[in-house]
Structures are given as C-alpha cells and as structure tokens.
Amino acid sequence: MATTVRRTVVTLPAAPLGPENPLPALRPLPEVHVLDEQSRAGLPRDMARQIGYRPLTSLLPVRVLDGYGRTRTGTAFEAVVLENAHLRVTVLPGLGGRVHSLVHLATGRELLYRNPVFQPAAFALNGAWFSGGIEWNIGATGHTTLACAPLHAAPVPAPDGGTMLRLWEWERLRDLPFQVDLWLPEDSAFLYVGVRVRNPHERPAPVYWWSNTAVPEDSGSRVLAPADEAWYFGHERTLRRVPVPEHDGADRTYPLRSTHAADFFYEVPDGERPWIAALDAEGYGLAQTSTGHLRGRKLFVWGSGDGGRRWQEWLTEPGTPGYAEIQAGLARTQLEHVRLDAGAEFSWLEAYGPLSADPAPVHGADWPAARTAAGRALEEALPRQRVDEAWAAWRPYADAEPGERLATGSGWGALEVLCGGHKLPGTPFPESTLGEPQQPWLELWRTGVLPTPRRVTPPGPTLVAPHWRDMLETAQADPLTEYHLGVAQWHAGDVAQAVRSWERGLPLAPSRWPLLRCLAVADAVAGNLDRAVERYAEAVEDLAQESRGGGTWTAAESALAREAMAVALAADRPAVARTVWERLRPALREQGRFRLLAARLLAAEGHVVAARRVFEEGFEVPDLREGDETLSLLWARLTDRPLPAPYDFRMRPAP
C-alpha cells in the first residue's frame, strides 16, 4: 500500500474555547517547576546552568484562554490522515498539530491514549489545553501556548519520494519559528517526525522542547527507558536523583504504583540510544526513539490517589481509562532551557511505532534485563542506524517549499517576517495570513503611528519584543499608545516606567478601565493592596458603564471582576468585593468561577453556613489551574468534614 495523505473530519463532543481573555497577562506565572539557587547547588553543572538560563517570567505577548466551559456538543475538527500498510495517523492542525490517533493496522490497536472528547482545562501556559495523543511543546516549561491554536499545514515532498505533512508556526513567547514534518515511509511501521527550531534573530534565544505522548494506563502497564537513575520532581517541588525502578518502596515504572502526580526524568547515559516505551502486560505497546539531539526522556504519572483520579476524569469523561505520559526533550529535565545562538537552528528526528517484546523479562524483577529486552526489541524493529540515516535524508527536505495549504495558522509570523526581513525557506509566512489582530501593528511599523480603533472596544493584544517597544516609544503619545507602551515596558522589567506610561495615558483616555486595571496590578504586585483595591473598583465601574455587551466585552467584565474580587478578598476588604459582585451580570454569577468567589466572599463576611451551602449545591470551575488548592483550602476553613470527591483535585498529600 502506497503512503497516502488526505483530509478528513474528526467529530468529538467538545466544549467551545470561547473568547480570549482581553486583559494582558501582567502577573507572574503560577509556575511550580522552579528551583532557587540553593536547590540548584547540588545539581550537575550543565543542568544547574540551564535551569537558571532565562526561565519564562511572563506570558506576554500571548493572551490567556480561559473562556471555555464544560458543556460539550458534537463538533467537527479538520484533520489530516497519513496512512501506509502499517499505520494510520490522524493529525489535528487546528489544535496545535496534535497527533490525535496512531493506529497499528495489523492489530487494529490504538497505540496512543485517544481522548474521546475535547475538553479544555487550565494546563497550558496560557490556559486552555486538552489531554491525549502526541503534542509538540515549544516555548517554556509547561504545555505550549499553541495547544489549542491552529498551525499552518501543507504537504511537502518526503525523502523517499512520498509526501510529508508539514506543520509550522511562529512561537511568540520566544519569537522563534519551528516546523514539524510527519511522514510514513512506504515500508515502515514507524511514524517519522522531523523537527526544526530556528533562531532568525541577532541574539541568542532560550529553547524548550518536549514531545509529550499520552499512553493508556492500567495495572499491567510499564514504562521502560535505558536508565538506572532518574531525576524526580514531585509534590515536594525539589529535583533529586532517585534509583530506577524502585523508589520509596515501590516500582515507579508502573504508573499506578505512584500515589500522587510526579515527574521522573530518566538519566540516559551519554552515547546511549535515547528511547522510551510503554508496554502492557503482554509486552505490547508504543515506543518512541530519536536521534541523539533529543536527549531527555520522562515519565509523568497522575498516580492512584483520589486527586489524580479526579483530574483524569476532569480531562475527559467518567468511565474513560486513565493515561500516563512518556516524553522526550532537548534537555534532561523540563526545568531547563537550552541556548540557541543567533542565526542557528536545532533539528532532530523522532520515530513512533508499535513495539512487542518478551513479557517475561519486561515485567520481571530484574530491571537491567527488562530494559535490555525492550531495547533489543526496538533495535530489531527499528535499528538506530536507520533513524540516523532518516534524519540525514530528511535534512535537505526541511527547506522544501510547501504545497497546497491544508490549514492556516496565525498572522503573527507574517508580521514578524515582514518587519524583520527574515528568510525562512520551508516555512513561509505570507502577507495573506495577516489578519485584524496584526493590522494596528502593521500600521505602526509602516507609519510610526498606532491607529485609533474605529469603534469602542477593549484594547487588542500588545506586542512586547524590543523592536516593537522601540516603535511604541517613538510613536505619538496618545492614551492607547501609552497603554501598549506600558505593557511592553512591564514585560521588559521596567516597572517604574510602565507605571509612568499608564499614568500619563489616564487623564485623556476615553476608556479608563484598561489603564486603571494595569495600575491596579502594579499596586498589587508591589504589595499596596489598598490602592490596588480602589483602582480595581474604579475600573469595574468604568467598564460597566462602557460595555457594549457581546463576547469580547463580557470576557473583559468576567476577567476584571475575578481579579478585582480576588484582590479585595486578599486585602480583607469584603465590602468592596461585594460591590463588585453586585455589579456582575446575573449570567456571570452562575458560572463556576464566580460561584467559588461567592463562597469565598460569604466566608470572608462570616457567613460560613451559606458559604458551605454553595459547595453543597454544587459547582464546577472550568479553568481550575493545575496544582490549584483553592477548593480544598476553602473547604477546610468551612468545615472539618472530608472534602467531597467532586472537589478533590489535590496533587499532593493532604497537610
């Protein structure tokens, strides 16, 4: 059977993404994968250096996606299918290029954990993310901001004369273009994936890449890799070396033998073939391998505890089997970022396919025998030399120009290529992809003036890279320009100048609430909570009078009210929080995120019974953040009864 590439549609019960949050992400990231200098002191020198190398401190210029809910309806997603005699691969270009399905045709078995629904949850750096399949994580520690975003997609010639599917985009956190080429050689039982990340700038850039694969999880599943040690990162939020497979009295290569969520970053020896596999009780499953540049391998487990089980259910639907993740990355751990020099690139080749090994040694007590058996089976199925040769054969095709466009990503890459004069063979970002979000910035670049919107609307996204900040600093100083300039200065760490820009724009601003909100965030971050509360209250009042209704305005009202109430409660000013609550549209009050705020407000007012009743009546917070313990902590304030199962999202032992 010749390899084919065709379009199709995948229909899933899906919750709509909803509008972007129009408030710029000014607050520091709620990142748990952070180590201070003292914690890094005992680590290998290269690891410690890369952990300290330019970790992400801001989501800007990316916007937060938190407008989704949990009501799902049948939705059609555009997909591309690659198929040969051995595998059928289904890719979703509109959802970060996720490999949704990988079916081994000879057995009819799905090699991945394939989520039967599309349910966004707050796991990506910018919010919306969904579980299942193979995802391509670029940017910074965490799930990519492109998890639920469209990528450009088109066919290109493959090294064997067939056709590849190319996915590409401009990653905005680090301002780097990347591409992912997927193809199935005619006689191959493995999917080949060529990846390239380029730095077109005149300065070095930090690069983060992890390919995450969700695999089915059951009591007989075991994850194997060529390592006798791993770097463990769990609820203690420290990174320490532990033996493989046994740690704290249990074999942790079986995902369900961990109680709580944890990361195990395998220490693959230098020169060893990098691979990882998840095999069931019969020794059958999925293997992933790569060329040597992709050195890291990791197992993520949810664990068997109540919190981990609840998260698994939350990400899909009741009765669905759980999953673990086997991952591969540029560095040994996900806390690290790797320097990419100006004008340079990283590239490598990955391969995914079925693996069958003798179950006796694979599941035996002797770990060296287990990983040797799996490694030998992989070498027989796909020799290491063949992977290296495939990478070498692919490299000349990485610059091949794409054919007919199968999917279109954002226009941000086109804007950067046009303004920067970048030459990027193989990944075109044509001006035809420029859209409404890019138009003000295109005019700023061409004329030196940021245009005034033709209609009253919440401000659009701000660009914060140094060259855009320079343009804003020399543009006409009207209130909208001062607003965007302040956001760019804030991103650069110039807090005082950002505050001055926002204060300069405030007196003449026709819309005061965006500037007031920025100043309120600055006050809150500086610890001046009382002034932050007052500015938030003024911003809420101003927005209420200006709002025209509709999706974008409602998103602004919701986001601003959530922030205002949270800061008022943190400042022990429940009366102000109550005033904000009274300003809310009735439909917003019924949303889960506001039901939680209502319970917090009632508790702050001393109405413990009423606050507990909110829990008893039931609510769901669609954008509950991974690791967020608000529900359990508030419940503990209200009662000494056990936390009800629907609210148990604890990812670490109860204190």
Side-chain angles (χ1 to χ4, degrees), residues 221-308:
S221 299
R222 192 179 201 187
V223 173
L224 301 105
D228 295 315
E229 293 181 310
W231 294 95
Y232 166 79
F233 191 89
H235 59 81
E236 307 91 344
R237 297 181 180 176
T238 59
L239 193 63
R240 55 194 173 95
R241 196 190 300 256
V242 299
V244 176
E246 291 209 5
H247 166 55
D248 282 350
D251 187 333
R252 306 297 177 175
T253 60
Y254 290 89
L256 287 176
R257 295 186 187 178
S258 292
T259 306
H260 299 283
D263 300 327
F264 295 91
F265 300 101
Y266 294 115
E267 184 68 51
V268 178
D270 289 340
E272 188 81 27
R273 179 181 188 178
W275 60 270
I276 191 167
L279 304 181
D280 63 17
E282 284 73 44
Y284 181 86
L286 174 76
Q288 188 274 355
T289 187
S290 70
T291 49
H293 202 84
L294 201 69
R295 63 176 299 190
R297 291 300 183 275
K298 172 193 163 182
L299 164 65
F300 167 76
V301 298
W302 281 109
S304 59
D306 292 340

Side-chain angles (χ1 to χ4, degrees), residues 395-483:
R395 286 294 294 118
Y397 289 82
D399 285 347
E401 286 305 304
E404 175 195 5
R405 195 66 59 94
L406 301 176
T408 302
S410 77
W412 296 114
L415 182 67
E416 295 297 340
V417 167
L418 181 64
C419 299
H422 305 303
K423 304 298 181 184
L424 299 169
T427 55
F429 294 95
E431 291 187 42
S432 60
T433 60
L434 292 167
E436 184 178 349
Q438 292 82 40
Q439 289 305 320
W441 301 95
L442 185 62
E443 188 165 337
L444 173 65
W445 175 67
R446 285 174 171 165
T447 69
V449 177
L450 194 67
T452 301
R454 296 177 181 175
R455 56 189 174 88
V456 178
T457 184
T462 303
L463 297 185
V464 297
H467 54 285
W468 292 110
R469 189 172 71 249
D470 291 344
M471 289 184 230
L472 289 168
E473 287 176 344
T474 58
Q476 179 180 334
D478 58 53
L480 182 60
T481 301
E482 295 285 16
Y483 163 82

Side-chain angles (χ1 to χ4, degrees), residues 314-404:
W314 183 256
L315 295 171
T316 177
E317 58 185 3
T320 303
Y323 73 95
E325 287 185 358
I326 57 174
Q327 307 180 10
L330 276 177
R332 281 184 285 185
T333 74
Q334 287 174 332
L335 287 72
E336 302 170 65
H337 297 86
V338 182
R339 175 186 169 114
L340 179 59
D341 289 331
E345 66 179 50
F346 290 146
S347 72
W348 61 89
L349 186 126
E350 306 181 40
Y352 298 80
L355 188 68
S356 184
D358 185 345
V362 162
H363 292 283
D366 183 33
W367 172 249
R371 59 180 177 79
T372 298
R376 185 180 300 117
L378 175 61
E379 187 65 22
E380 292 174 359
L382 183 65
R384 181 178 188 177
Q385 181 178 348
R386 190 181 303 170
V387 174
D388 292 337
E389 291 171 349
W391 175 78
W394 166 74
R395 286 294 294 118
Y397 289 82
D399 285 347
E401 286 305 304
E404 175 195 5

Side-chain angles (χ1 to χ4, degrees), residues 1-17:
M1 174 182 174
T3 300
T4 60
V5 178
R6 58 184 171 85
R7 295 184 181 186
T8 189
V9 171
V10 172
T11 301
L12 298 171
L17 275 175

Side-chain angles (χ1 to χ4, degrees), residues 1-5 81-89 102 158 160 162-165 182-192 352:
M1 174 182 174
T3 300
T4 60
V5 178
V81 172
L82 296 82
E83 187 170 356
N84 67 3
H86 303 278
L87 295 174
R88 182 187 304 120
V89 186
L102 182 62
D160 63 349
T163 302
M164 296 189 292
L165 172 65
L182 303 98
W183 79 101
L184 290 171
E186 187 172 344
D187 60 345
S188 175
F190 278 76
L191 168 67
Y192 286 178
Y352 298 80

